[in-house]
Amino acid sequence: MKIFAENNIRKLVIALPIIGILFTSVILTVLFVSQTNLSHKNDISQLEKIFTIQAKKIAQDRITNLIKTIKSSEILFKNKPKQDFVNYTQNFLNNFRFDNNNYIFAYDLNGKTISHVKQSLVGTNRWSLKKDGKFLIQEIIEKGQKKDGFFMEYTATVNPNTNLPSKKISY
Protein backbone atom coordinates (compact mmCIF):
# COMPACT_ATOMS: atom_id res chain seq x y z
CA MET A 1 0.00 0.00 0.00
CA LYS A 2 2.80 2.35 0.84
CA ILE A 3 4.28 2.12 -2.69
CA PHE A 4 0.88 2.76 -4.23
CA ALA A 5 0.40 5.92 -2.11
CA GLU A 6 3.87 7.20 -2.97
CA ASN A 7 3.24 6.71 -6.70
CA ASN A 8 -0.03 8.60 -6.42
CA ILE A 9 1.65 11.44 -4.55
CA ARG A 10 4.41 11.64 -7.17
CA LYS A 11 1.80 11.70 -9.96
CA LEU A 12 -0.17 14.36 -8.10
CA VAL A 13 2.95 16.49 -7.59
CA ILE A 14 3.59 16.34 -11.33
CA ALA A 15 -0.06 16.67 -12.46
CA LEU A 16 -1.25 19.48 -10.17
CA PRO A 17 1.10 22.16 -11.53
CA ILE A 18 0.26 21.12 -15.11
CA ILE A 19 -3.47 21.25 -14.35
CA GLY A 20 -3.00 24.59 -12.60
CA ILE A 21 -1.13 26.04 -15.58
CA LEU A 22 -3.74 24.75 -18.04
CA PHE A 23 -6.61 26.08 -15.90
CA THR A 24 -4.92 29.48 -15.54
CA SER A 25 -4.20 29.58 -19.28
CA VAL A 26 -7.83 28.84 -20.15
CA ILE A 27 -9.13 31.50 -17.74
CA LEU A 28 -6.67 34.13 -18.98
CA THR A 29 -7.48 33.29 -22.63
CA VAL A 30 -11.22 33.58 -22.01
CA LEU A 31 -10.72 36.92 -20.22
CA PHE A 32 -8.48 38.22 -23.01
CA VAL A 33 -10.91 37.20 -25.75
CA SER A 34 -13.83 38.69 -23.82
CA GLN A 35 -11.99 41.98 -23.23
CA THR A 36 -10.86 42.14 -26.87
CA ASN A 37 -14.41 41.48 -28.07
CA LEU A 38 -15.76 44.27 -25.84
CA SER A 39 -13.05 46.62 -27.08
CA HIS A 40 -13.90 45.82 -30.72
CA LYS A 41 -17.60 46.40 -30.09
CA ASN A 42 -16.79 49.81 -28.60
CA ASP A 43 -14.54 50.62 -31.57
CA ILE A 44 -17.26 49.60 -34.03
CA SER A 45 -19.80 51.72 -32.17
CA GLN A 46 -17.49 54.75 -32.31
CA LEU A 47 -16.77 54.17 -36.01
CA GLU A 48 -20.50 53.93 -36.76
CA LYS A 49 -21.08 57.26 -34.99
CA ILE A 50 -18.26 58.92 -36.93
CA PHE A 51 -19.50 57.39 -40.21
CA THR A 52 -23.05 58.59 -39.52
CA ILE A 53 -21.87 62.14 -38.80
CA GLN A 54 -19.81 62.18 -42.01
CA ALA A 55 -22.63 60.62 -44.06
CA LYS A 56 -25.05 63.27 -42.80
CA LYS A 57 -22.64 66.08 -43.74
CA ILE A 58 -22.07 64.59 -47.19
CA ALA A 59 -25.82 64.14 -47.76
CA GLN A 60 -26.54 67.73 -46.70
CA ASP A 61 -23.78 69.13 -48.93
CA ARG A 62 -24.95 67.07 -51.90
CA ILE A 63 -28.57 68.15 -51.55
CA THR A 64 -27.56 71.79 -51.06
CA ASN A 65 -25.46 71.65 -54.25
CA LEU A 66 -28.22 69.86 -56.13
CA ILE A 67 -30.75 72.53 -55.13
CA LYS A 68 -28.35 75.24 -56.30
CA THR A 69 -27.90 73.44 -59.62
CA ILE A 70 -31.67 73.13 -60.14
CA LYS A 71 -32.25 76.77 -59.19
CA SER A 72 -29.53 77.93 -61.56
CA SER A 73 -31.02 75.88 -64.41
CA GLU A 74 -34.39 77.53 -63.77
CA ILE A 75 -33.05 80.58 -65.61
CA LEU A 76 -32.97 78.52 -68.82
CA PHE A 77 -36.74 78.02 -68.56
CA LYS A 78 -37.60 81.62 -67.74
CA ASN A 79 -39.61 82.21 -70.93
CA LYS A 80 -41.01 78.67 -71.19
CA PRO A 81 -44.05 77.06 -69.61
CA LYS A 82 -43.57 76.06 -65.96
CA GLN A 83 -44.35 72.43 -66.82
CA ASP A 84 -41.24 72.30 -69.05
CA PHE A 85 -39.09 73.17 -66.03
CA VAL A 86 -40.98 70.66 -63.86
CA ASN A 87 -40.42 67.92 -66.48
CA TYR A 88 -36.75 68.84 -66.84
CA THR A 89 -36.23 68.78 -63.05
CA GLN A 90 -38.02 65.46 -62.65
CA ASN A 91 -35.97 63.91 -65.46
CA PHE A 92 -32.78 65.36 -63.97
CA LEU A 93 -33.55 63.91 -60.52
CA ASN A 94 -34.56 60.51 -61.91
CA ASN A 95 -31.28 60.16 -63.78
CA PHE A 96 -28.98 61.73 -61.20
CA ARG A 97 -26.75 59.38 -59.20
CA PHE A 98 -24.02 59.88 -56.66
CA ASP A 99 -21.18 57.42 -56.25
CA ASN A 100 -21.81 54.20 -54.30
CA ASN A 101 -25.38 53.99 -55.63
CA ASN A 102 -26.58 56.96 -53.58
CA TYR A 103 -29.55 58.56 -55.26
CA ILE A 104 -32.21 61.22 -54.95
CA PHE A 105 -35.79 60.45 -54.12
CA ALA A 106 -38.51 63.08 -53.97
CA TYR A 107 -42.18 63.17 -53.07
CA ASP A 108 -44.78 65.89 -53.43
CA LEU A 109 -46.67 67.00 -50.32
CA ASN A 110 -49.38 64.38 -50.97
CA GLY A 111 -46.96 61.42 -51.09
CA LYS A 112 -46.76 61.05 -54.87
CA THR A 113 -43.32 59.86 -55.95
CA ILE A 114 -41.60 62.45 -58.13
CA SER A 115 -38.20 60.79 -58.30
CA HIS A 116 -36.89 57.40 -57.21
CA VAL A 117 -34.14 54.97 -58.19
CA LYS A 118 -36.87 52.42 -58.92
CA GLN A 119 -38.53 53.95 -61.95
CA SER A 120 -41.63 51.82 -61.37
CA LEU A 121 -42.34 53.89 -58.23
CA VAL A 122 -42.30 57.25 -60.06
CA GLY A 123 -45.86 58.56 -60.21
CA THR A 124 -47.16 56.23 -57.50
CA ASN A 125 -48.56 57.48 -54.23
CA ARG A 126 -46.72 56.05 -51.24
CA TRP A 127 -48.50 58.10 -48.57
CA SER A 128 -49.65 54.99 -46.70
CA LEU A 129 -46.31 53.13 -46.78
CA LYS A 130 -45.76 51.69 -43.32
CA LYS A 131 -42.37 50.61 -42.01
CA ASP A 132 -41.88 49.45 -38.42
CA GLY A 133 -45.34 50.74 -37.48
CA LYS A 134 -44.69 54.25 -38.84
CA PHE A 135 -45.93 55.97 -41.97
CA LEU A 136 -42.48 56.50 -43.48
CA ILE A 137 -43.38 58.82 -46.38
CA GLN A 138 -45.68 60.92 -44.20
CA GLU A 139 -42.85 61.37 -41.71
CA ILE A 140 -40.37 62.27 -44.46
CA ILE A 141 -42.77 64.87 -45.91
CA GLU A 142 -43.67 66.33 -42.52
CA LYS A 143 -40.08 66.65 -41.34
CA GLY A 144 -38.82 67.70 -44.77
CA GLN A 145 -40.86 70.89 -44.59
CA LYS A 146 -38.67 72.27 -41.80
CA LYS A 147 -36.72 75.37 -42.73
CA ASP A 148 -33.23 73.88 -42.44
CA GLY A 149 -34.19 70.36 -43.41
CA PHE A 150 -33.66 67.31 -41.23
CA PHE A 151 -31.89 63.98 -41.12
CA MET A 152 -33.77 60.75 -40.89
CA GLU A 153 -32.24 57.34 -40.21
CA TYR A 154 -34.38 54.32 -41.03
CA THR A 155 -34.35 50.89 -42.56
CA ALA A 156 -35.22 51.16 -46.23
CA THR A 157 -37.81 48.95 -47.83
CA VAL A 158 -35.26 47.52 -50.30
CA ASN A 159 -31.66 48.18 -51.28
CA PRO A 160 -31.61 48.29 -55.11
CA ASN A 161 -28.36 46.28 -55.25
CA THR A 162 -29.23 43.46 -52.87
CA ASN A 163 -33.05 43.55 -52.78
CA LEU A 164 -32.73 43.36 -48.99
CA PRO A 165 -33.69 45.94 -46.34
CA SER A 166 -30.84 48.31 -45.51
CA LYS A 167 -30.08 51.22 -43.21
CA LYS A 168 -30.42 54.65 -44.78
CA ILE A 169 -29.70 58.23 -43.90
CA SER A 170 -31.85 60.75 -45.71
CA TYR A 171 -31.76 64.52 -45.66
Side-chain angles (χ1 to χ4, degrees):
M1 277 296 211
K2 198 173 183 182
I3 296 174
F4 183 70
E6 286 179 18
N7 280 342
N8 284 343
I9 291 174
R10 284 183 186 165
K11 288 179 184 176
L12 235 87
V13 167
I14 294 171
L16 279 178
I18 293 172
I19 292 171
I21 290 170
L22 288 174
F23 185 71
T24 304
S25 296
V26 168
I27 288 176
L28 290 176
T29 301
V30 168
L31 287 173
F32 175 76
V33 168
S34 174
Q35 203 55 26
T36 302
N37 192 20
L38 182 62
S39 176
H40 287 315
K41 284 181 181 178
N42 289 337
D43 290 346
I44 289 170
S45 176
Q46 290 297 328
L47 287 172
E48 284 177 349
K49 287 177 185 175
I50 291 169
F51 174 79
T52 300
I53 290 168
Q54 289 176 341
K56 286 180 176 182
K57 177 70 174 135
I58 290 169
Q60 185 177 22
D61 290 346
R62 286 176 172 175
I63 297 300
T64 301
N65 289 334
L66 192 63
I67 290 169
K68 287 178 184 176
T69 301
I70 290 170
K71 284 185 178 184
S72 68
S73 65
E74 190 174 18
I75 296 168
L76 300 172
F77 293 87
K78 187 177 182 179
N79 297 323
K80 295 181 180 179
K82 183 177 179 176
Q83 190 58 42
D84 287 355
F85 177 67
V86 169
N87 292 340
Y88 165 80
T89 302
Q90 184 176 13
N91 187 44
F92 177 74
L93 291 175
N94 280 323
N95 292 306
F96 192 85
R97 298 288 179 277
F98 296 108
D99 56 337
N100 299 327
N101 200 33
N102 296 309
Y103 60 92
I104 300 294
F105 64 86
Y107 299 96
D108 69 13
L109 296 178
N110 298 315
K112 181 180 174 187
T113 309
I114 297 169
S115 171
H116 200 280
V117 70
K118 282 185 141 186
Q119 292 296 308
S120 61
L121 294 176
V122 174
T124 63
N125 192 304
R126 300 183 78 200
W127 183 258
S128 298
L129 177 67
K130 247 186 176 180
K131 189 71 178 165
D132 298 327
K134 295 180 181 180
F135 290 101
L136 183 62
I137 306 306
Q138 291 177 32
E139 189 175 348
I140 288 171
I141 292 169
E142 177 188 324
K143 290 181 178 179
Q145 293 181 59
K146 293 182 179 181
K147 181 182 176 190
D148 295 323
F150 80 104
F151 289 100
M152 186 170 170
E153 295 179 50
Y154 56 96
T155 301
T157 50
V158 174
N159 177 323
N161 287 335
T162 64
N163 288 328
L164 298 172
S166 63
K167 287 184 177 180
K168 293 192 114 177
I169 296 174
S170 294
Y171 175 74

